[in-house]
């Protein structure tokens, strides 16, 4: 598949690199087509990797666009990507609305009665937005076998068919269907975004990001 990764940070890098290893073509998007981090990634990633603006990258995708942008700038990033380029596509929103402007620990700039996932869906009504992969470290997002056990990820989205296609894609990345917990519509993104303060406290206590959540009945 031709998959777009919006963002040049550690998440964009890890996701893009893993997608290439899985055999996909990947375009990494950023604010400019000459972004140094994106160019360096392409140079190291081989001939199925390319980079461009958010707009070019969004247009490149045949089905999946993965938002790996900064949470505080995600709505701007998606406006730059352009609603028409994202129309009908499945947008996996990994961004967390963490605000570091008052130092550590960060606070959530949106929570409780709203979420970034919902704001993204409101901004892009003709795009199938799925909030997912935002509750674990980027090295494991598309490579669950790197962590032992049946740890889980979540998905939140309004379109059941899109969630089915996304689940099939996750299966190709190594996630078992039983490890992917469908929480419901996009409103349930509130919960996974609010899990981040818990994730950060665990990270601080363990001293490593190499862990994930699990569900036991
Ligand atoms: N680190 C993890 O393992 C992890 C886990 C779960 C979720 N997340 C979430 O994943 C997302 C990406 O995290 P990250 O650490 O890789 O990257 P990041 O530093 O949070 O974001 C980098 C991206 O944000 C864009 N950006 C920054 N300021 C901008 C602005 N003013 N306008 C438009 N775009 C702007 C940059 O654009 P340019 O390319 O143009 O510079 C860059 O592509 C975040 O939302 C984070 O909360 C991260």
């Amino acid at each position: 598949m031709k998959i777009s990764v919006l963002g040049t940070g550690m998440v964009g890098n890890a996701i893009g690199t893993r997608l290439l290893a899985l055999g996909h073509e990947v375009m990494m998007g950023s604010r400019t087509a000459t972004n140094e981090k994106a160019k360096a990634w392409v140079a190291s990633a081989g001939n199925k990797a390319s980079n461009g603006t958010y707009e070019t990258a969004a247009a490149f995708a045949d089905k999946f666009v993965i938002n790996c942008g900064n949470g505080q700038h995600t709505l701007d990033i998606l406006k730059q990507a352009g609603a028409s380029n994202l129309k009908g596509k499945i947008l996996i929103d990994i961004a967390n609305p963490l605000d570091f402007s008052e130092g550590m620990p960060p606070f959530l700039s949106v929570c409780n009665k709203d979420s970034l996932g919902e704001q993204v869906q409101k901004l892009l009504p003709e795009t199938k937005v799925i909030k997912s992969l935002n509750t674990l470290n980027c090295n494991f997002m598309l490579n669950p076998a790197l962590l032992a056990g049946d740890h889980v990820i979540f998905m939140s989205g309004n379109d059941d068919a899109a969630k089915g296609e996304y689940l099939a894609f996750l299966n190709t990345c190594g996630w078992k269907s039983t490890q992917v917990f469908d929480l419901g519509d996009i409103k349930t993104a509130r919960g996974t975004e609010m899990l981040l303060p818990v994730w950060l406290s665990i990270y601080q206590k363990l001293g490593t990001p190499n862990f994930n959540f699990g569900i036991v009945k």
Side-chain angles (χ1 to χ4, degrees):
M1 279 192 281
K2 287 182 171 181
I3 301 183
S4 304
V5 168
L6 306 180
T8 57
M10 62 189 290
V11 180
N13 237 274
I15 293 277
T17 302
R18 176 69 175 143
L19 288 171
L20 290 170
L22 291 164
H24 300 290
E25 285 179 59
V26 181
M27 184 178 281
M28 180 179 277
S30 73
R31 281 169 284 184
T32 63
T34 53
N35 181 287
E36 289 301 326
K37 285 193 201 168
K39 278 171 35 187
W41 175 75
V42 170
S44 68
N47 61 6
K48 284 191 169 179
S50 58
N51 73 290
T53 60
Y54 288 128
E55 189 181 13
T56 323
F60 169 85
D62 44 30
K63 186 186 292 181
F64 288 107
V65 177
I66 307 186
N67 174 37
C68 308
N70 183 276
Q72 296 307 302
H73 300 292
T74 276
L75 297 177
D76 272 353
I77 289 169
L78 295 172
K79 281 178 197 160
Q80 287 176 45
S84 60
N85 296 318
L86 295 165
K87 184 178 174 179
K89 296 180 183 174
I90 298 174
L91 177 71
I92 308 304
D93 178 30
I94 297 181
N96 283 308
L98 296 176
D99 188 329
F100 292 87
S101 62
E102 293 177 19
M104 290 296 282
F107 61 92
L108 294 166
S109 56
V110 52
C111 62
N112 276 342
K113 291 183 171 180
D114 198 4
S115 62
L116 183 59
E118 286 166 86
Q119 293 180 351
V120 169
Q121 183 63 83
K122 267 185 212 128
L123 177 73
L124 301 166
E126 296 183 302
T127 300
K128 300 155 194 170
V129 178
I130 300 176
K131 187 88 200 188
S132 190
L133 302 177
N134 59 316
T135 53
L136 77 172
N137 177 264
C138 54
N139 293 324
F140 311 116
M141 288 175 181
L142 299 184
N143 207 349
L146 293 180
L147 276 179
D150 280 347
H151 52 100
V152 300
I153 51 171
F154 305 98
M155 60 174 163
S156 305
N158 296 341
D159 190 308
D160 286 339
K163 286 192 281 191
E165 287 190 77
Y166 174 56
L167 178 59
F169 163 74
L170 288 173
N171 291 153
T172 68
C173 303
W175 287 103
K176 290 185 263 178
S177 297
T178 49
Q179 289 179 279
V180 183
F181 204 98
D182 181 355
L183 291 169
D185 68 16
I186 194 66
K187 276 189 184 169
T188 62
R190 295 173 191 179
T192 61
E193 291 178 8
M194 289 193 286
L195 207 47
L196 258 291
V198 180
W199 188 95
L200 286 163
S201 297
I202 297 171
Y203 173 49
Q204 206 172 22
K205 291 273 179 193
L206 292 182
T208 172
N210 299 339
F211 65 91
N212 191 15
F213 297 107
I215 296 171
V216 178
K217 266 212 285 192

